[in-house]
Amino acid sequence: MRLPDAPRINPSILSADFVNMQRDLERISGADLVHVDVMDNHFVPNLTFGPQMVERVQATSPIPLDVHLMISDPDRWAPEYAEIGAASVTFHVEAARDPIALARRIRDIGARAGVAAKPGTSVEPLLDHLGEFDQVLVMTVEPGFGGQSFMPETMPKLVELREAAARTGADVWLQVDGGIGPDTIGQAAEAGADTFVAGSAVFGADDIDGRIAQLRALARAHRH
């Protein structure tokens, strides 16, 4: 599977109509990947869906899956999402017992391995190990609910990651998730992000294809 070049726009189906999921997946066929938020009501105070639902999304989606696991014990569960066929599986560094071993296992199955950090979590421990991951997700809101406001104070983490990737030669995607829309995507792109999760900004637009194209153009214009 050849994955798209940066900048990548990954709409979050957390903002889709769960009863009309296939319709909404088709409405974002012009995006790069579909962002699938898995929440367990334990690691975060919200409950979405698990492997069975993700497997159905995988079977019907016109674009690859970018699965974001906001769950406890990802060491046990994350490989299952790779086996379903997700293109990318991201787990939280705060929840994993051994992030590097887990990332290697996900890669061995055939998916890209991502690691996420909450707004208050430092990315410094990851900087010397970026080559072990295919993606680092900097949360720009507290994880758990869609529709929150973008947190600009998280941008220095992206700068750190971008500089470390350049220094080490790591080929790693830098993703942001939370409050991303036309007014904020430029700031994230300037800081170093190349992969952007947008939920309500996409699904709440009258012209979804136009909004995806707008976000992509804005990110490209502000790339570092």
Side-chain angles (χ1 to χ4, degrees):
M1 179 192 308
R2 185 186 182 281
L3 293 175
D5 297 327
R8 287 166 287 267
I9 307 300
N10 300 4
S12 169
I13 59 170
L14 193 62
S15 297
D17 181 348
F18 286 9
V19 176
N20 294 288
M21 184 63 72
Q22 185 170 2
R23 180 205 66 188
D24 278 4
L25 288 167
E26 290 168 356
R27 292 171 74 199
I28 59 167
S29 60
D32 296 292
L33 295 93
V34 55
H35 192 78
V36 181
D37 289 303
V38 175
M39 308 184 198
D40 64 357
N41 205 31
H42 187 263
F43 181 72
V44 292
N46 197 2
L47 184 66
T48 54
F49 30 71
Q52 191 173 27
M53 179 66 175
V54 175
E55 191 166 17
R56 289 300 300 143
V57 173
Q58 168 68 23
T60 55
S61 177
I63 52 177
L65 266 56
D66 171 33
V67 174
H68 176 196
L69 300 178
M70 288 173 267
I71 63 173
S72 300
D73 200 10
D75 304 78
R76 175 184 176 188
W77 294 109
E80 185 170 349
Y81 291 89
E83 289 165 357
I84 285 169
S88 178
V89 178
T90 296
F91 58 87
H92 269 263
V93 67
E94 301 92 349
R97 292 188 299 275
D98 190 336
I100 290 175
L102 180 54
R104 289 176 179 175
R105 189 171 173 207
I106 291 169
R107 280 176 163 179
D108 285 345
I109 294 168
R112 293 174 59 84
V115 62
K118 293 180 180 181
T121 299
S122 171
V123 296
E124 189 172 351
L126 300 173
L127 299 182
D128 292 331
H129 305 285
L130 289 183
E132 296 285 354
F133 305 99
D134 299 297
Q135 176 170 275
V136 179
L137 166 54
V138 173
M139 292 298 299
T140 45
V141 298
E142 288 294 340
F145 293 92
Q148 298 183 65
S149 297
F150 176 80
M151 298 171 67
E153 60 269 29
T154 59
M155 293 298 96
K157 292 198 283 189
L158 278 171
V159 176
E160 279 186 275
L161 289 162
R162 186 192 72 225
E163 291 175 348
R167 184 173 64 250
T168 62
D171 181 15
V172 60
W173 294 2
L174 300 181
Q175 185 178 68
V176 285
D177 180 2
I180 298 298
D183 296 335
T184 56
I185 195 168
Q187 190 175 352
E190 285 177 2
D194 54 33
T195 307
F196 306 87
V197 178
S200 53
V202 170
F203 284 104
D206 292 331
D207 177 4
I208 285 181
D209 285 338
R211 176 54 54 83
I212 291 169
Q214 177 194 25
L215 291 172
R216 193 178 282 125
L218 286 167
R220 187 174 288 118
H222 288 86
R223 287 190 70 185
H224 193 270

